[in-house]
Amino acid sequence: MKTGGRTASFTLRDVIEAGTRIGLDRLSMQSVADALGVTTAALYRHVAGRSALERLVGEAILDKLTLVDDPTEPAAAHLAGFAMQLRRFTLSHPGTAEYMQRLFPRGPSGLRLLEHQVTALGRRGYEPAAAVALSSAMATVAIGATVAEQWRASLLGTPAIDEALTVMAGSELMRQATAGIPAHTPEDFFVFTISAAAEGLVAQLPPGRPLLVAGTPS
């Protein structure tokens, strides 16, 4: 947006749209300024800094996520489905999982997702406090697993993978153990983990049980 030595005007919407195109994984004040063809000093007239920029762009990206709820599903299946939707969305929008992992919710889009979960679990007999606890626990597991999956994927083809395989190969016990694991995809492992987590959470906090006595034997 530089023309004839003068900086053309741009709006906050332009900033957010440029940041969304760049993505949270590559987002910086400099990258947005470059995309807009302006200086970072000009960008600071609209955004206070990197943290504010991340929040604006993160909320714009999360606004694209619409959670789907099948009211016929029991609570555990619903929680597992919620986790799967988070995984697929964050994998398709790099950097979003880390954004949610650091602090959530940070704005209206994140709040909308949490309110959706409170309403969905309310239909299954949960009080709002219990619904928030269950949803937060499931999101923590799902997002943490997704971040770890992304890190592992980024290491493919690097010496780190070979080193890890060498460590495993040095243990007879681990060679026997891994030989018994059937072929599977990262999503297969995610489903295994999330399904177990959902079942465990619902067993710990079934519908109708007050949150404060969730760990008290019945």
Side-chain angles (χ1 to χ4, degrees):
M1 293 186 181
K2 294 178 180 177
T3 57
R6 299 178 62 188
T7 301
S9 63
F10 63 99
T11 67
L12 182 60
R13 179 180 293 276
D14 294 324
V15 173
I16 295 171
E17 289 178 350
T20 301
R21 289 193 299 271
I22 292 166
L24 286 168
D25 60 326
R26 298 182 294 114
L27 186 69
S28 68
M29 295 291 282
Q30 188 65 59
S31 66
V32 172
D34 290 345
L36 293 173
V38 301
T39 65
T40 54
L43 192 59
Y44 276 106
R45 291 202 291 269
H46 292 279
V47 184
R50 171 66 173 77
S51 179
L53 177 65
E54 180 185 69
R55 178 183 178 276
L56 289 168
V57 173
E59 291 303 301
I61 291 174
L62 284 182
D63 190 53
K64 301 175 183 178
L65 173 57
T66 299
L67 295 172
V68 177
D69 172 36
D70 179 355
T72 66
E73 287 184 332
H78 167 76
L79 287 172
F82 165 59
M84 285 300 302
Q85 290 178 74
L86 288 181
R87 175 185 182 272
R88 289 168 180 163
F89 183 83
T90 54
L91 284 178
S92 65
H93 297 81
T96 308
E98 291 88 342
Y99 170 79
M100 298 176 73
Q101 189 179 50
R102 284 191 288 274
L103 180 64
F104 184 85
R106 277 195 247 181
S109 295
L111 182 61
R112 173 182 58 82
L113 298 176
L114 188 56
E115 288 177 339
H116 172 277
Q117 276 299 98
V118 171
T119 300
L121 287 169
R123 288 193 287 266
R124 293 166 172 84
Y126 283 99
E127 295 295 322
V132 169
L134 285 176
S135 299
S136 298
M138 183 55 64
T140 297
V141 175
I143 293 169
T146 302
V147 169
E149 180 181 335
Q150 290 173 319
W151 272 108
R152 286 192 297 272
S154 72
L155 293 174
L156 291 177
T158 68
I161 293 293
D162 293 334
E163 292 168 3
L165 292 174
T166 299
V167 171
M168 294 285 283
S171 166
E172 176 60 29
L173 177 59
M174 294 311 300
R175 286 200 300 272
Q176 294 176 5
T178 54
I181 299 175
H184 63 281
T185 66
E187 183 165 312
D188 293 333
F189 184 73
F190 184 89
V191 170
F192 168 75
T193 303
I194 287 301
S195 298
E199 292 288 351
L201 285 169
V202 172
Q204 180 74 4
L205 184 57
R209 177 179 291 181
L211 178 61
L212 292 180
V213 294
T216 304
S218 56

